[in-house]
Amino acid sequence: MHEILRLKNLYVPTLKEDPADADIASHKLLLRSGMLRKTASGVYTFLPLGFRVLKKIEAIVREEMDATGAYEIMMPALQPSELWLESGRWDDYGPELMRLNDRHDRGFCLGPTHEELITALVRDELRSYKQLPLTLYQIQVKFRDEIRPRFGLLRSREFIRKDAYSFHDSQESLQETYDAMSEAYGRICDRCGLEWRGVEADSGQIGGKVTTEFMALAESGEAELVYCDCGYSANTEAGECIPHPTTHNVSELTKIATPEVHTIEELAQFLDIPESSTVKALSGKDAEGNLVVLFIPGCHELNEIKAARAIEGFTLLTDDEMKAFGLHKGSMGPVGLPDEARIVADSSLKGVPQWVVGANEEGYHLLGAAPGRDFTVDKWTDLCVVKPGDSCPDCHCALKGARGIEVSQVFQLGTKYSESMGATYLDKDGREQPFIMGCYGVGVSRTLAAIVEQHNDEHGIKWPLAVAPAHVCVIPLQVGDDLVQPKAEEIAQACQKLGFEVAIDDRDERAGVKFADADLIGWPLQIIVGKRGLAEGKVEIKRRLTGERSD
Ligand code: 9G3
């Protein structure tokens, strides 16, 4: 049975006003409801009520992880630099990795993630294919020295994450665990009361290709996603882009003066055509320093991750480099480029017979530039950032847009860490093979903030029952009263016996203060015990989620 929470002696310093530096609803409400306090920039203390919610989320995560057959361990937050040097990541990351030296001047970091440690853990002692697959997880504090910590728990420098790592002897086995983890992650989101979507994502620097992000939908979220009613969804950083460029038909190649035109917006306005009828040029270089000019529909933005995937070592040119190649920023085009330039264009432009482009001459543009006739495209590929209105890659309907908070992510890592760190097992034929790995993360403190982001109103938090700091708060309106006080106590104990988690607001405060705090804290049920009601044998029950009241 749970102890009754007594507010008088519980540390719940609620605030009437929004703290000045709190930027979004969850940050404000967690501070105002006395659940969270800032210790340093991006570093927070969980107060008793906030910590209870955190532990409930952790319990849900543990249940779902254990149900997949994963086993819990606990690795240290303090990690030796040697392991990061082995994987090559000591040098890949800059100041975001929190580094320190011990008294013997040995290098360490405060762990941002644990791929290195887990790979080192199994490499000497997990030897046989017979022991595979294996999945281990932990719930641990992590560190990342964010440039600009903000949004409270959503972008903090110290955060709590569940991270799991799996080891396999085949791609099929990895896929099986990856699918099981993905399902568990969906259930975790559901049980936490989140409205969420699993989206196609980019694996960034971590390595591997297949990855899904679980996004809690929220306007305040930093991630942009596109989705379709057919079930498709993607992070705009990663999603395939099928834009709809239009053609501005001028059959002859025609040079026109475009004074003062430097941007696509200005060009479209000057010609009185939609931006989708213009073609945007971006100059870059490949790994060998060769000039590459990219062309995309004027209505879209370049996705640099896609460019780097299409062109080995691709980086955009600086203004000085452009000058050195003799290029004119703001009026670049495919006709009359230096001979050595490679032309790479977005696949959607294949369907545009006449391009509106820069003339490679300050103050001039070309109309009717025809690929095949006036210039040659060396490579067609997907280059743009997808946006709402583009076609769904699965069903070709128009995609819709939303914003989200990335609460969790699953990755197929492959052999990046096992190969670089020499983690091998012996297969059926006694041959050494690198482990095939997966890794899976749930942002626990982030999930807490995402729940508040989705469940609040102008009065405060509205906790879903499964993660609320307690289910019921009994509110005696006159604490010293001979009838009210014992009745409130009796009701609290009765609720407790029924299996509810119960709080009692035994503070000597005005009714108005207690009501406001109860709504702010967000107990799902309030039981209000007052002199007047008791005289008629009544108490009032208020449901926070619906605002419904009954006697
Ligand atoms: C670093 C720093 C920042 C980082 C990483 C390493 C992100 C890093 C990716 C992951 C991926 C997965 C295990 C659980 C699931 C997620 N930012 N990532 O590896 F050194 Cl400073 O953390 N890790």
Side-chain angles (χ1 to χ4, degrees):
M1 205 154 53
H2 296 272
E3 295 301 324
I4 294 176
L5 305 176
R6 295 175 187 281
L7 264 58
K8 193 161 59 167
N9 312 104
L10 185 72
Y11 191 53
V12 199
T14 55
L15 306 170
K16 287 209 180 61
E17 307 289 334
D18 282 339
D21 57 349
D23 25 32
I24 54 170
S26 59
H27 192 193
K28 286 178 193 161
L29 289 171
L30 288 167
L31 294 170
R32 279 190 57 207
S33 62
M35 301 205 190
L36 193 73
R37 281 296 177 267
K38 181 164 119 178
T39 300
S41 169
V43 181
Y44 292 89
T45 297
F46 289 88
L47 302 187
L49 292 185
F51 193 43
R52 285 178 71 90
V53 177
L54 190 76
K55 283 187 288 186
K56 292 207 169 176
I57 299 169
E58 289 184 359
I60 290 172
V61 171
R62 279 201 176 88
E63 273 183 34
E64 294 296 340
M65 283 302 103
D66 294 348
T68 68
Y71 291 98
E72 187 170 7
I73 60 171
M74 177 79 153
M75 290 182 276
L78 192 62
Q79 308 189 1
S81 58
E82 286 84 25
L83 296 177
W84 286 74
L85 285 161
E86 279 189 49
S87 72
R89 293 210 297 174
W90 188 254
D91 298 322
D92 286 352
Y93 284 92
E96 190 187 355
L97 185 60
M98 289 228 176
R99 299 165 211 250
L100 64 157
N101 288 332
D102 71 4
R103 65 175 76 211
H104 307 295
D105 220 26
R106 285 189 278 254
F108 288 85
C109 66
L110 294 177
T113 179
H114 284 70
E115 280 81 6
E116 281 78 3
L117 263 68
I118 196 106
T119 307
L121 180 75
V122 302
R123 71 174 154 193
D124 300 320
E125 296 176 287
L126 183 58
R127 292 301 297 151
S128 165
Y129 71 94
K130 290 178 195 160
Q131 296 164 279
L132 301 175
L134 172 73
T135 306
L136 299 173
Y137 77 95
Q138 65 172 348
I139 297 178
Q140 240 279 21
V141 59
K142 312 278 193 240
F143 300 86
R144 285 183 194 169
D145 197 355
E146 297 282 349
I147 301 180
R148 208 157 81 77
R150 62 204 143 124
F151 307 140
L153 296 179
L154 289 183
R155 190 157 294 282
S156 56
R157 297 196 293 173
E158 178 175 326
F159 55 97
I160 302 184
R161 196 169 65 186
K162 185 283 299 181
D163 47 337
Y165 304 87
S166 66
F167 299 88
H168 308 270
D169 62 356
S170 70
Q171 174 61 33
E172 295 71 58
S173 167
L174 169 61
Q175 187 68 44
E176 224 168 86
T177 298
Y178 179 87
D179 291 343
M181 282 286 168
S182 301
E183 274 171 35
Y185 278 23
R187 282 193 299 270
I188 290 168
C189 288
D190 283 342
R191 290 180 64 183
C192 288
L194 290 175
E195 193 192 340
W196 62 277
R197 279 205 165 73
V199 308
E200 207 176 90
D202 186 82
S203 55
Q205 279 188 53
I206 182 163
K209 283 196 189 63
V210 181
T211 175
T212 304
E213 271 167 0
F214 293 77
M215 299 265 201
L217 299 182
E219 270 313 305
S220 57
E222 288 185 89
E224 282 180 58
L225 53 125
V226 287
Y227 66 96
C228 177
D229 293 335
C230 78
Y232 175 83
S233 51
N235 190 320
T236 56
E237 281 179 358
E240 184 183 336
C241 179
I242 308 174
H244 297 286
T246 47
T247 190
H248 179 61
N249 274 325
V250 175
S251 51
E252 304 270 295
L253 182 64
T254 312
K255 187 162 124 182
I256 53 160
T258 50
E260 309 294 318
V261 168
H262 301 286
T263 64
I264 286 290
E265 195 187 348
E266 288 163 357
L267 179 64
Q269 258 175 23
F270 183 85
L271 296 172
D272 195 23
I273 58 174
E275 289 185 7
S276 60
S277 287
T278 67
V279 176
K280 191 185 286 185
L282 298 116
S283 57
K285 56 182 182 188
D286 64 14
E288 280 93 55
N290 301 314
L291 178 61
V292 183
V293 185
L294 308 180
F295 292 93
I296 61 175
C299 50
H300 276 70
E301 298 301 325
L302 176 70
N303 182 327
E304 289 187 49
I305 301 169
K306 289 181 183 176
R309 214 165 273 152
I311 303 134
E312 173 87 20
F314 180 86
T315 50
L316 287 168
L317 296 187
T318 62
D319 288 358
D320 286 342
E321 287 173 319
M322 284 175 68
K323 280 204 194 95
F325 275 112
L327 298 171
H328 298 275
K329 192 181 180 179
S331 57
M332 276 189 295
V335 183
L337 281 172
D339 283 347
E340 74 270 21
R342 251 175 85 206
I343 294 184
V344 179
D346 189 74
S347 305
S348 66
L349 292 172
K350 263 189 200 170
V352 181
Q354 317 279 337
W355 294 12
V356 175
V357 288
N360 292 317
E361 197 181 326
E362 187 66 39
Y364 289 90
H365 279 80
L366 296 176
L367 309 179
R373 184 190 68 189
D374 303 320
F375 60 93
T376 307
V377 173
D378 298 298
K379 181 172 181 164
W380 300 95
T381 186
D382 178 13
L383 286 175
C384 300
V385 180
V386 60
K387 63 181 195 182
D390 293 340
S391 289
C392 169
D394 288 349
C395 76
H396 301 287
C397 288
L399 291 168
K400 290 183 266 229
R403 301 189 70 89
I405 299 164
E406 300 158 25
V407 289
S408 43
Q409 190 164 9
V410 292
F411 296 85
Q412 296 192 9
L413 286 173
T415 54
K416 168 170 167 158
Y417 295 90
S418 50
E419 277 186 27
S420 59
M421 299 182 67
T424 58
Y425 65 94
L426 297 173
D427 70 10
K428 278 194 190 67
D429 309 315
R431 283 183 312 213
E432 296 236 3
Q433 302 285 0
F435 293 109
I436 299 174
M437 292 172 59
C439 74
Y440 318 87
V442 174
V444 177
S445 42
R446 230 185 209 204
T447 295
L448 190 153
I451 295 169
V452 178
E453 213 50 48
Q454 287 189 358
H455 298 273
N456 71 77
D457 62 14
E458 68 275 26
H459 303 297
I461 305 174
K462 304 199 288 188
W463 290 111
L465 206 55
V467 295
H471 306 123
V472 187
C473 182
V474 180
I475 305 175
L477 297 181
Q478 299 83 12
V479 280
D481 187 86
D482 292 351
L483 277 175
V484 171
Q485 176 92 5
K487 189 49 100 181
E489 191 65 38
E490 185 190 328
I491 291 170
Q493 286 180 18
C495 289
Q496 185 191 28
K497 285 213 185 73
L498 287 170
F500 290 106
E501 291 171 32
V502 186
I504 184 164
D505 191 348
D506 54 355
R507 298 174 303 167
D508 189 7
E509 289 283 0
R510 286 183 299 112
V513 171
K514 292 190 178 186
F515 293 150
D517 280 354
D519 281 355
L520 181 60
I521 291 166
W523 316 104
L525 279 176
Q526 300 168 19
I527 301 180
I528 300 149
V529 185
K531 243 195 218 166
R532 226 185 306 155
L534 282 189
E536 299 171 34
K538 286 180 189 165
V539 297
E540 190 181 22
I541 298 183
K542 178 179 166 188
R543 290 172 189 270
R544 179 70 178 92
L545 295 185
T546 59
E548 219 176 314
R549 292 164 181 276
S550 50
D551 284 336

